[in-house]
Amino acid sequence: MEEQKKPQLELTTEQLDALVASFYPAMLDFFSSDRGKRIYAEHLQSKDKENSDTP
């Protein structure tokens, strides 16, 4: 069975900047919400745990 390749998406710097700018307000709303703060805190805790497990 032959594996299908995913199409490669290439964006210019201007397109990438516009994409980020369009997501920015939603990201600010999410991370200022209680749910966003909780998810980010859990992420930081798991990252700290990973770092403490590595010698």
Side-chain angles (χ1 to χ4, degrees):
M1 204 185 290
E2 200 172 315
E3 191 174 320
Q4 290 184 337
K5 290 186 178 180
K6 291 183 181 179
Q8 192 68 21
L9 181 64
E10 296 183 23
L11 296 175
T12 65
T13 303
E14 291 82 13
Q15 290 171 320
L16 188 57
D17 288 345
L19 182 62
V20 170
S22 69
F23 280 112
Y24 191 69
M27 290 170 54
L28 286 177
D29 288 344
F30 175 75
F31 283 109
S32 65
S33 71
D34 290 338
R35 183 174 181 220
K37 289 176 185 175
R38 182 176 40 84
I39 289 172
Y40 186 62
E42 290 172 6
H43 166 73
L44 290 178
Q45 286 176 349
S46 68
K47 193 169 187 164
D48 285 344
K49 192 174 187 178
E50 282 179 14
N51 290 338
S52 65
D53 290 344
T54 2

